[in-house]
């Protein structure tokens, strides 16, 4: 099975894309990091190779087992469940929490303001309002949220089977 070393996601619409060309986000593999998106994708491909054919193009990766695109409400339901199992109040989490979490994680891991702004597609310094906690607090939150990852992983596996 061919293993991916990079993933590219094309977003046809972004509120910061004023000319309407869309934007491509590129993620490189972070070897040895079990939470790397490319690494997790490779694991999913090993579990169900027919679900993720090896080809470039307009393949919808995030879809249900029936082929429907995985919508925001599916992600929010899974996120709220993970928050509840980790002892947080589910009503405090939405899919937009992933945006704040990503910016906070980048900030606490030493990324520059320019790198955070580019990855989050912010055209201003508004990304700074998303930064939460400190490095120790962020590490503890990540630990709690990922502690129950096998439940989420099993549900995703069942949905994609």
């Amino acid at each position: 099975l061919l293993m991916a070393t990079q993933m590219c996601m094309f977003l046809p619409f972004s509120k910061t894309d004023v000319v309407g060309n869309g934007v491509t986000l590129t993620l490189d593999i972070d070897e040895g990091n079990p939470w790397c998106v490319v690494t997790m994708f490779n694991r999913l491909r090993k579990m169900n190779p027919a679900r993720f054919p090896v080809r470039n193009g307009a393949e919808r990766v995030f879809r249900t087992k029936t082929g429907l695109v995985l919508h925001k409400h599916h992600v929010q339901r899974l996120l709220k469940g993970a928050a509840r199992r980790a002892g947080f109040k589910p009503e405090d989490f939405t899919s937009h929490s992933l945006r704040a979490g990503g910016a906070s994680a980048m900030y606490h891991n030493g990324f520059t303001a320019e790198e955070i702004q580019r990855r989050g597609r912010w055209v201003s310094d508004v990304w700074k309002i998303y930064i939460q906690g400190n490095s120790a607090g962020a590490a503890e939150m990540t630990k709690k949220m990922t502690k129950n990852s096998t439940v989420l992983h099993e549900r995703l596996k069942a949905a994609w089977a």
Side-chain angles (χ1 to χ4, degrees):
L1 178 69
L2 182 64
M3 303 305 282
T5 57
Q6 185 180 73
M7 290 179 71
C8 297
M9 295 181 285
F10 178 72
L11 305 175
F13 171 79
S14 168
K15 67 181 179 184
T16 59
D17 177 22
V18 293
V19 292
N21 291 332
V23 63
T24 299
L25 300 177
T26 302
L27 302 169
D28 291 311
I29 195 165
D30 181 5
E31 304 258 352
N33 179 351
W35 298 109
C36 166
V37 173
V38 180
T39 299
M40 288 191 279
F41 178 73
N42 283 333
R43 276 193 240 131
L44 287 171
R45 287 182 64 215
K46 279 184 181 178
M47 289 188 307
N48 190 349
R51 171 75 170 76
F52 302 101
V54 178
R55 62 177 174 246
N56 291 322
E59 193 67 31
R60 305 254 186 210
V61 174
F62 301 107
R63 60 182 188 222
T64 65
K65 63 182 173 184
T66 60
L68 298 174
V69 174
L70 188 65
H71 285 282
K72 180 179 172 177
H73 70 274
H74 293 116
V75 174
Q76 290 195 160
R77 189 181 72 237
L78 292 168
L79 184 61
K80 286 178 183 294
R84 184 176 42 261
R85 287 187 302 278
F88 296 102
K89 295 188 297 186
E91 60 272 15
D92 290 345
F93 292 83
T94 68
S95 58
H96 206 69
S97 302
L98 300 172
R99 188 166 173 78
S104 294
M106 289 181 76
Y107 177 80
H108 293 300
N109 282 289
F111 285 82
T112 67
E114 182 182 79
E115 289 170 315
I116 296 168
Q117 200 169 343
R118 189 176 336 110
R119 177 57 69 183
R121 301 176 326 277
W122 282 286
V123 293
S124 70
D125 283 343
V126 75
W127 64 270
K128 293 176 180 177
I129 67 170
Y130 288 94
I131 305 306
Q132 300 173 4
N134 56 38
S135 296
E140 184 60 29
M141 183 181 290
T142 300
K143 187 176 173 182
K144 282 184 169 183
M145 291 295 284
T146 57
K147 171 172 92 173
N148 294 304
S149 66
T150 55
V151 174
L152 178 60
H153 184 262
E154 289 302 317
R155 287 187 181 169
L156 288 172
K157 183 178 171 183
W160 288 338

